[in-house]
Amino acid sequence: MPNPTAAMLVIGDEILSGRTRDSNLHHLARALTDHGIALKEARVVSDDHDAIVAAVQALSARWDHVFTSGGIGPTHDDITADAVAAAMGAAIDVREDARALMAAHYARTGSELNEARLRMARIPDGAVLIENPVSVAPGFSIGNVHVMAGVPSVFEAMVAGVLAALQGGDPLLSLSLQVQRPEGDIAGPLRDLAARYPDLDFGSYPYNRNGVSGANVVVRGTDGPRVNAAMAELAALFPEGVA
Amino acid sequence: MPNPTAAMLVIGDEILSGRTRDSNLHHLARALTDHGIALKEARVVSDDHDAIVAAVQALSARWDHVFTSGGIGPTHDDITADAVAAAMGAAIDVREDARALMAAHYARTGSELNEARLRMARIPDGAVLIENPVSVAPGFSIGNVHVMAGVPSVFEAMVAGVLAALQGGDPLLSLSLQVQRPEGDIAGPLRDLAARYPDLDFGSYPYNRNGVSGANVVVRGTDGPRVNAAMAELAALFPEGVA
């Protein structure tokens, strides 16, 4: 069975303006790879209703899972929950289970569950809550779309919760060889090797350190013996390589 | 006149697998903001011909400019130039001007201009070369699509070259106020303020440091006096705020 596929949708003007450097994509990419889910595409859109709706619909139709980050806080520009509900054709309002979670939390901490905070209890009909062990306001899953916060500590905790409940695939294995030779000298032999292992992925990532050119060559696949065999051939081609 | 718009397309399995952390999006976002071009969307796709073609066509039809990074090296998985040519309906082959640049460089450095390296001289008909002051192999612009390398030092040099020749817009001004109050207490007054300045963007970016919650509130716009006036009102609402 092929591994499940996924896409990520990052929502937030602050990423596109360069104010904030996104770290959630990299975290999710690693977590999905470890879980045997293949991340196939990512998009970043601004805090714009129509842009979020269009991206959610395109990605959820195309891939097995969609993971979103950002736009579920208390401020006027946090519009992700309503946009995802619209994209999935679901009604949305303050939901009692989410409201109760937040009321209990704010009662404990002595803050007011005001109108702004109540926005964070807006959950589409039919959605399942995603626990937020950091700051309580939950995410949610509706259909194949998992809606999570943008604050990295909260995002990471929510990803762990969602993945624990998701069927993964065979873990994607990866071996790499650092070859201190210009990539243009590696490319020919690498192409011929890749042609003989069509079931594996071969990547080459050039670097230049202190004027010395080289590349990290990576072999990826789900079949351990095949990955090992390809790496053995690669190491024979480039005996100066360092694993 | 509204500011020109742009999208970014990052090409590379290594970003989606989590092997590499992309830094080009953040660099481009800042460079475009400084140049008065509004980055509206970004996508990351794998080294897949059809995925690159579809993304280039969608983004180039929608936005004023498209900037791509990755997939223009010498290896078999570097397929960006051919995919962009297909997306734009242009023929592509080794082009004499690019080949001559690379031949001169490799003659100087004593490396061979082999078949793999010659792939980097594949340039679509009608494209304008983008100079690569780091490692010579050029990028190119065709229509509104600017095709650049993924290696950050090369990408950054190419962005500088492209932007120097592109008409920008009014620089986007931005002021921020750090408010040590939970975002749920900021959201209501901020929404009312934002409603009175519909020509500006207001963003709120929560943080939690050592158990203390706060948010950075950001006001953005191209009209300096309006941005200043909104920030003055914001500072009056949250007198404990730090600029």
Side-chain angles (χ1 to χ4, degrees):
Chain A
M1 202 183 79
N3 284 17
T5 60
M8 178 171 191
L9 178 61
V10 177
I11 296 153
D13 290 343
E14 72 276 20
I15 309 294
L16 293 170
S17 72
R19 188 186 177 282
T20 302
R21 184 191 291 267
D22 169 71
S23 68
N24 292 333
L25 170 57
H26 185 65
H27 177 85
L28 182 69
R30 295 181 70 113
L32 290 178
T33 296
D34 289 347
H35 201 69
I37 295 177
L39 182 61
K40 303 296 280 184
E41 182 177 354
R43 298 192 188 183
V44 186
V45 298
S46 58
D47 301 313
D48 175 89
H49 181 84
D50 294 346
I52 302 170
V53 169
V56 167
Q57 289 182 336
L59 296 174
S60 75
R62 177 94 196 257
W63 310 112
D64 294 331
H65 295 285
V66 179
F67 296 83
T68 82
S69 83
I72 63 168
T75 60
H76 64 285
D77 58 343
D78 289 312
I79 59 174
T80 297
D82 282 66
V84 170
M88 305 301 278
I92 183 167
D93 205 340
V94 170
R95 217 168 76 175
E96 182 48 32
D97 52 352
R99 198 202 59 77
L101 277 175
M102 294 174 57
H105 171 71
Y106 290 117
R108 266 197 312 276
T109 60
S111 298
E112 179 201 0
L113 181 50
N114 58 19
E115 189 192 327
R117 291 194 171 101
L118 257 186
R119 282 173 56 81
M120 297 193 282
R122 290 179 68 78
I123 304 288
D125 286 357
V128 176
L129 299 186
I130 299 174
E131 191 185 353
N132 172 355
V134 179
S135 50
V136 178
F140 60 85
S141 297
I142 180 168
N144 64 345
V145 181
H146 311 286
V147 175
M148 297 175 289
V151 174
S153 59
V154 183
F155 178 80
E156 293 170 16
M158 288 182 170
V159 166
V162 171
L163 288 186
L166 276 194
Q167 175 93 43
D170 296 330
L172 193 62
L173 306 172
S174 165
L175 289 176
S176 71
L177 190 73
Q178 182 176 318
V179 181
Q180 208 166 91
R181 226 186 262 203
E183 201 183 19
D185 293 334
I186 298 170
L190 180 61
R191 181 197 55 206
D192 297 342
L193 180 65
R196 287 190 291 105
Y197 288 87
D199 53 323
L200 304 180
D201 283 323
F202 293 78
S204 165
Y205 309 109
Y207 63 82
N208 188 304
R209 289 189 201 113
N210 307 319
V212 178
S213 293
N216 288 297
V217 182
V218 178
V219 183
R220 287 187 209 95
T222 51
D223 181 335
R226 289 281 290 170
V227 172
N228 287 334
M231 181 48 75
E233 289 201 47
L234 191 69
L237 285 169
F238 303 108
E240 80 276 34
V242 178
Chain B
M1 201 183 79
N3 284 17
T5 60
M8 179 171 190
L9 178 61
V10 177
I11 295 152
D13 290 342
E14 71 277 22
I15 308 295
L16 293 169
S17 72
R19 188 184 178 284
T20 302
R21 183 190 292 267
D22 170 70
S23 68
N24 292 334
L25 170 58
H26 185 67
H27 177 84
L28 182 69
R30 295 181 70 112
L32 291 178
T33 296
D34 289 346
H35 201 68
I37 295 177
L39 182 61
K40 304 295 280 185
E41 181 177 356
R43 298 191 188 183
V44 186
V45 298
S46 58
D47 301 312
D48 176 88
H49 181 84
D50 294 347
I52 300 170
V53 170
V56 168
Q57 289 182 336
L59 297 174
S60 75
R62 177 93 195 259
W63 309 113
D64 294 331
H65 295 284
V66 179
F67 296 84
T68 81
S69 83
I72 63 167
T75 60
H76 65 284
D77 58 342
D78 289 311
I79 59 174
T80 296
D82 282 66
V84 170
M88 306 300 278
I92 184 168
D93 204 341
V94 170
R95 217 169 76 175
E96 181 48 31
D97 52 353
R99 197 200 60 75
L101 277 175
M102 294 174 57
H105 171 72
Y106 290 117
R108 268 197 310 275
T109 60
S111 297
E112 180 202 0
L113 181 50
N114 58 19
E115 189 191 328
R117 291 195 171 101
L118 258 186
R119 282 173 56 80
M120 296 192 284
R122 290 180 69 79
I123 304 289
D125 286 358
V128 176
L129 299 187
I130 299 173
E131 190 185 355
N132 172 354
V134 178
S135 50
V136 178
F140 60 83
S141 297
I142 180 167
N144 64 345
V145 181
H146 311 285
V147 174
M148 296 174 289
V151 174
S153 59
V154 183
F155 178 80
E156 293 169 16
M158 288 182 169
V159 166
V162 171
L163 288 186
L166 275 194
Q167 175 93 43
D170 296 330
L172 193 61
L173 306 172
S174 165
L175 289 176
S176 72
L177 190 73
Q178 181 176 319
V179 180
Q180 207 165 92
R181 222 186 267 203
E183 201 184 19
D185 292 335
I186 299 169
L190 180 61
R191 181 197 55 206
D192 297 342
L193 180 65
R196 286 190 291 104
Y197 288 88
D199 52 323
L200 305 180
D201 283 324
F202 293 79
S204 164
Y205 309 107
Y207 63 81
N208 188 304
R209 288 187 202 114
N210 307 319
V212 178
S213 293
N216 288 298
V217 182
V218 178
V219 183
R220 288 187 208 95
T222 52
D223 182 334
R226 288 281 289 170
V227 172
N228 287 334
M231 181 48 75
E233 287 202 46
L234 191 69
L237 284 169
F238 303 109
E240 80 275 33
V242 178

